[in-house]
Amino acid sequence: MTAFVLALLAGALVGLALGSLGAGGSIITVPALIYLLGFTPADATTAGLIIVVVTSATALLAHARAGAVRWRAGLLFAAAGLPPAAAAGVLSAHLPATGLTLAFAVLAALAGLRMLRRRTPPEHTTVSAPRAAAAGAGLGAVTGLLGVGGGFLAVPALVAVLAVPMSAAVGTSLLVIIANALVALIARAATATTVDMTLLLPFIATAVLGAWDGKRMSAKIQPATLQRLFGGLLLAVAAAMAIGALL
């Protein structure tokens, strides 16, 4: 029963993060599955992809209805990341769990620092296809390797590299997350073990509900505040992951 309640609470937090920040799903999901619900790192990253795909689709629908998705930027970004995501997804099965966890923590910390240091850029009406493709390819590789949807890197990349405003980067990142996570999940299908659906289903249920609440919350918060909140969340999770891997 305790694990069931923890799954419900963790799912709600993941949904709120994805709905309000357009990211943070996997970076909260993976540690929760490992440290709260007892999943192995390999199973947690696979289960995390399932959770993130379903929850991100819900959050994307809410943002699309509000007109807060840059479809061209998102599709360019996502398409470039699909081949690297598939290749890295296969490679991840052969890497040590501690190394993957530390790599996860380092990337989260770097992304968090970038978000905290950067001012919200002005809105641009055009998207550079080469820059979108390059950033998307790098993100796809990280997604496949670490079993994350990539929102914690997609949001900073959309803001910093493509000058997408934070208000639109939140919704657009969800499109990127879904594409990359689906490809990485398919690549892992041949090597992944069976995931315990007993805890996964309640996790997903509250995550979906939280995503709708997160979207409504994001409409009431200034983009610069969202950016700072997101940066702080990344640094906190990075520290917890690094400590857990080293102890």
Side-chain angles (χ1 to χ4, degrees), residues 119-214:
R119 296 180 180 179
T120 302
E123 182 172 350
H124 289 195
T125 57
T126 60
V127 174
S128 168
R131 295 177 74 184
L139 178 65
V142 172
T143 297
L145 190 65
L146 300 182
V148 299
F152 74 103
L153 295 176
V155 172
L158 288 167
V159 172
V161 178
L162 303 182
V164 174
M166 185 65 183
S167 56
V170 169
T172 305
S173 72
L174 294 165
L175 179 62
V176 179
I177 289 169
I178 293 169
N180 284 339
L182 276 174
V183 171
L185 187 59
I186 292 170
R188 286 165 174 259
T191 57
T193 57
T194 302
V195 176
D196 183 3
M197 298 303 293
T198 304
L199 296 176
L200 198 61
L201 289 177
F203 200 118
I204 291 174
T206 53
V208 168
L209 293 175
W212 284 102
D213 290 336

Side-chain angles (χ1 to χ4, degrees), residues 28-233:
I28 298 172
T29 299
V30 173
L33 292 173
I34 294 172
Y35 299 116
L36 297 181
L37 303 182
F39 281 60
T40 66
D43 288 346
T45 54
T46 301
L49 289 170
I50 297 172
I51 292 167
V52 167
V53 166
V54 177
T55 310
S56 296
T58 302
L60 176 63
L61 177 60
H63 282 271
R65 290 175 62 183
V69 178
R70 295 288 183 87
W71 294 100
R72 181 170 180 266
L75 290 172
L76 284 170
F77 204 102
L82 299 185
V90 174
L91 176 63
S92 67
H94 305 287
L95 298 177
T98 300
L100 289 175
T101 302
L102 288 174
F104 195 112
V106 170
L107 283 170
L110 291 174
L113 289 172
R114 189 173 185 86
M115 293 299 284
L116 287 175
R117 291 175 179 175
R118 188 171 183 85
R119 296 180 180 179
T120 302
E123 182 172 350
H124 289 195
T125 57
T126 60
V127 174
S128 168
R131 295 177 74 184
L139 178 65
V142 172
T143 297
L145 190 65
L146 300 182
V148 299
F152 74 103
L153 295 176
V155 172
L158 288 167
V159 172
V161 178
L162 303 182
V164 174
M166 185 65 183
S167 56
V170 169
T172 305
S173 72
L174 294 165
L175 179 62
V176 179
I177 289 169
I178 293 169
N180 284 339
L182 276 174
V183 171
L185 187 59
I186 292 170
R188 286 165 174 259
T191 57
T193 57
T194 302
V195 176
D196 183 3
M197 298 303 293
T198 304
L199 296 176
L200 198 61
L201 289 177
F203 200 118
I204 291 174
T206 53
V208 168
L209 293 175
W212 284 102
D213 290 336
K215 171 61 185 72
R216 288 194 291 270
M217 185 173 67
S218 71
K220 302 176 182 179
I221 302 176
Q222 292 295 320
T225 302
L226 276 178
Q227 195 166 314
R228 288 193 295 271
L229 287 172
F230 186 32
L233 172 65

